[in-house]
Amino acid sequence: KTGGRARSGRQSQFRKAAYMDPRTGVMNFAGFQDIAARELSRVRRVGQPLGMIVLDIDHFKKINDSYGHPQGNAVLKQLALIIRAQTRNLDTHFRLGGREFGILLPHTNFENLAVVAERVREAVESAHFTGMPSAGAVKVSLGALGVEPQKSMRPEDWNAMYAAADELLRLAKDQGRNRVVSRLYEPPPKPPPA
């Protein structure tokens, strides 16, 4: 019994390490995949909405080029702290890769999702990042996707939802950056039966 418990504990520690982004201390994309699938399963089971935010640092290459990669890494760490401070303990934060972060917000309707996304944007813009010239030196664009419960929802649908949130992020970039673009998720049509 003890050996099984110890093995289970080691597996849990290994899984936690595998899901952690060492640079920022938040979960990585593998953790996002796992938790998003579990959240979708819960959304369908309990009938509560879910919010998904994908955000990206505007002109991050310019920060790296102007201040160096160590300063760029410091910006990533501080951004993770700001995101955590502007959201609930219930919410989960991720570094999806490079300069892109994600937030999953259980039990969050579309109106509240838009409020949280704007609050994160404002907090980043008003923050004085260590080693940066002034407040406003770092800005983010955000795509905020509201997910309403649907009977046809499956855990693997997280992939399509992430793509939809990422598309909203791209629109925020195209519309001038430093903004939130939000909408409700519309599932892709199911193929007709063969």
Side-chain angles (χ1 to χ4, degrees), residues 32-80:
F32 173 76
Q33 290 175 298
D34 185 48
I35 291 178
R38 279 193 276 148
E39 281 299 330
L40 283 183
S41 187
R42 187 197 55 75
V43 164
R44 180 180 177 183
R45 194 174 63 252
V46 302
Q48 290 289 330
L50 172 71
M52 182 185 289
I53 296 173
V54 178
L55 65 103
D56 185 89
I57 302 171
D58 295 333
H59 303 296
F60 187 60
K61 184 179 185 307
K62 191 185 286 186
I63 292 171
N64 277 331
D65 290 349
S66 301
Y67 304 100
H69 287 279
Q71 185 54 48
N73 291 339
V75 165
L76 294 172
K77 281 184 196 170
Q78 194 170 341
L79 175 59

Side-chain angles (χ1 to χ4, degrees), residues 126-140:
S126 63
H128 191 161
F129 282 73
T130 309
M132 300 298 285
S134 62
V138 178
K139 297 182 175 87
V140 289

Side-chain angles (χ1 to χ4, degrees), residues 11-21 27:
Q11 287 171 341
S12 176
Q13 287 176 335
F14 176 76
R15 186 174 177 176
K16 189 174 181 184
Y19 282 1
M20 195 60 61
D21 173 51
M27 285 197 186

Side-chain angles (χ1 to χ4, degrees), residues 51 83-93 103-108 112 116 119:
I83 292 169
R84 188 174 285 133
Q86 296 302 318
T87 53
R88 307 164 298 180
N89 290 338
L90 177 66
D91 304 327
T92 314
H93 319 94
I103 312 167
L104 285 174
L105 304 99
H107 306 289
T108 303
N112 289 334
V116 172
R119 187 170 68 222

Side-chain angles (χ1 to χ4, degrees), residues 84-154:
R84 188 174 285 133
Q86 296 302 318
T87 53
R88 307 164 298 180
N89 290 338
L90 177 66
D91 304 327
T92 314
H93 319 94
F94 308 88
R95 181 172 176 219
L96 301 176
R99 62 196 188 188
E100 190 171 278
F101 287 77
I103 312 167
L104 285 174
L105 304 99
H107 306 289
T108 303
N109 65 30
F110 183 64
E111 291 75 20
N112 289 334
L113 171 66
V115 168
V116 172
E118 182 57 26
R119 187 170 68 222
V120 169
R121 189 201 66 74
E122 288 175 356
V124 172
E125 186 176 27
S126 63
H128 191 161
F129 282 73
T130 309
M132 300 298 285
S134 62
V138 178
K139 297 182 175 87
V140 289
S141 299
L142 304 93
L145 187 73
V147 180
E148 295 293 332
Q150 297 164 35
K151 285 193 165 85
S152 61
M153 199 171 276
R154 298 164 303 160

